[in-house]
Amino acid sequence: MMEYAKDFEAKVRNNIKDHALCSKKEKIFVACSGGKDSTTALYILKKSGYDVEGIIIDLKMGDWSQRNLENIGNFCRKQNIKLNVIDLREEHGTSICYLRSGIQERERIGNCTICGVVRRWILNRKARELGAAKLVTGHNLDDEAENIMMNLLKGKPELFMNMGPKTGAIEDAKFVQRIKPLYFCTNAEIRRYTEEMGWDKEIVYEPCPCSVGAFRRDVRAMLSELEKKNQRIKQNLVAKLLDMLPRIKEKYQHSAKLKYCKACGEPSRNDICKRCQLMKVMVR
Ligand code: SF4
Ligand SMILES: [Zn+2]
């Protein structure tokens, strides 16, 4: 294997070790999308000897979902990794597009907000039912830098509670802890790794067609522009966040208390969880 790929894998393993993300005795599920990040996380965890399975929600977003599903299905077969496919229509009786248009007819809520809320709700429940100790996401350093800026620009510092290489503030039997093995890897580094591994024909690199107009895209463009002047701005943002995180967690601890949603029984910060609030908009 090329030197670069070896160093990259070592960087991911160091993050897992340094931040005690997971152990080899635990059952771990990777939330897959078919994209480069989650595929890379899945592969490196498996290769490093973790007890890992993939989990993917078929969002039924036409050709894009189809291609991603096929790619990750083939990848997992080749790598001998079990992949759990969740059919959104079976879970919700609808495709994500139908859900979104039903909600957006009544309220101005962005595509990714709706999709993200529904996906997180399903993934937590399914991962728990499958006996997961940890749920891995493919979040990378670029994502985290964008999240920091987005939370600041939205004026919601309490959202920092969910940040860092692992969600740690909340301990609850119904909530599966999320971990981010690629936390310190940039988009460019992960892309290069997948290319050096020869996976570039099996991975869809284009962004999801439904993310058009998302606030995240504006923030990404802004950070990329600033990065031309200082290549380390994203690293600096993330390093500063990690430095401040213990104090932020202490300050907002009270708002992180978990309750159970009165409608669905799933963990929630409010009496009614975000997913059930969205469902209410649909039937208004
Ligand atoms: S980019 Fe947005 S709409 Fe597309 S899968 Fe991700 S959250 Fe859903
Ligand atoms: Zn609910």
Side-chain angles (χ1 to χ4, degrees):
M1 198 201 296
M2 307 277 255
E3 214 47 46
Y4 173 81
K6 270 194 205 154
D7 291 348
F8 179 89
E9 290 177 5
K11 183 172 174 175
V12 175
R13 284 192 201 106
N14 286 343
N15 175 27
I16 296 174
K17 212 166 93 213
D18 294 348
H19 293 90
L21 298 191
C22 52
S23 88
K24 292 187 179 162
K25 292 190 191 118
E26 293 173 320
K27 184 93 204 158
I28 299 161
F29 285 77
V30 176
C32 294
S33 65
K36 70 180 191 324
D37 303 316
S38 48
T39 306
T40 297
L42 181 65
Y43 176 82
I44 296 178
L45 282 165
K46 167 83 176 171
K47 186 175 175 181
S48 309
Y50 290 92
D51 183 4
V52 70
E53 289 183 20
I55 181 167
I56 185 166
I57 304 174
D58 181 0
L59 293 169
K60 311 273 180 206
M61 292 200 292
D63 179 56
W64 191 79
S65 292
Q66 205 48 46
R67 276 195 294 156
N68 277 299
L69 263 176
E70 270 171 34
N71 289 348
I72 190 69
N74 290 336
F75 186 87
C76 285
R77 260 190 300 281
K78 262 193 246 164
Q79 302 297 340
N80 205 15
I81 300 172
K82 183 168 178 208
L83 180 67
N84 302 274
V85 182
I86 299 161
D87 188 309
L88 188 73
R89 281 209 191 102
E90 274 168 26
E91 284 301 316
H92 266 252
T94 60
S95 69
I96 200 76
C97 304
Y98 179 83
L99 258 177
R100 275 197 309 243
S101 54
I103 292 167
Q104 287 169 340
E105 261 171 35
R106 295 164 177 89
E107 257 186 53
R108 262 193 75 199
I109 304 177
N111 280 353
C112 292
T113 305
I114 297 170
C115 180
V117 165
V118 172
R119 274 188 311 141
R120 276 194 296 276
W121 184 88
I122 296 176
L123 281 172
N124 186 65
R125 207 176 47 137
K126 283 287 167 187
R128 186 181 70 231
E129 284 170 9
L130 291 166
K134 303 281 163 66
L135 183 62
V136 172
T137 64
H139 279 97
N140 63 37
L141 188 122
D142 290 60
D143 299 325
E144 192 75 342
E146 287 160 17
N147 289 341
I148 296 170
M149 283 312 289
M150 285 166 71
N151 292 346
L152 282 175
L153 293 171
K154 283 184 193 161
K156 291 190 170 169
E158 68 277 12
L159 294 179
F160 287 137
M161 293 293 289
N162 297 328
M163 299 176 85
K166 64 177 172 187
T167 52
I170 303 165
E171 275 187 29
D172 184 275
K174 286 185 118 180
F175 182 77
V176 183
Q177 188 176 43
R178 316 261 154 81
I179 57 170
K180 307 169 190 168
L182 305 184
Y183 191 82
F184 295 100
C185 306
T186 65
N187 248 327
E189 286 169 344
I190 301 167
R191 173 127 192 183
R192 181 171 165 197
Y193 175 75
T194 57
E195 286 169 355
E196 294 213 359
M197 296 301 283
W199 301 339
D200 39 324
K201 302 274 179 301
E202 304 169 56
I203 284 179
V204 180
Y205 291 102
E206 304 115 65
C208 159
C210 299
S211 67
V212 184
F215 180 43
R216 179 176 295 279
R217 282 207 177 172
D218 298 336
V219 171
R220 184 172 303 165
M222 179 184 80
L223 286 175
S224 299
E225 204 46 47
L226 292 171
E227 207 178 20
K228 288 180 192 157
K229 293 186 185 134
N230 177 353
Q231 284 196 348
R232 289 201 57 83
I233 54 159
K234 290 175 185 163
Q235 276 88 349
N236 292 347
L237 270 174
V238 170
K240 193 69 206 158
L241 171 86
L242 288 179
D243 183 35
M244 292 179 349
L245 208 50
R247 273 170 287 156
I248 297 174
K249 289 195 172 172
E250 207 176 303
K251 180 162 179 201
Y252 293 101
Q253 197 81 31
H254 62 283
S255 64
K257 285 248 157 54
L258 269 196
K259 309 171 177 179
Y260 295 112
C261 170
K262 288 190 174 145
C264 68
E266 288 298 306
S268 165
R269 295 221 174 118
N270 302 304
D271 288 344
I272 303 290
C273 76
K274 282 191 186 160
R275 175 261 181 189
C276 293
Q277 285 173 21
L278 284 178
M279 293 302 127
K280 278 192 168 178
V281 174
M282 281 271 280
V283 294
R284 234 175 20 213

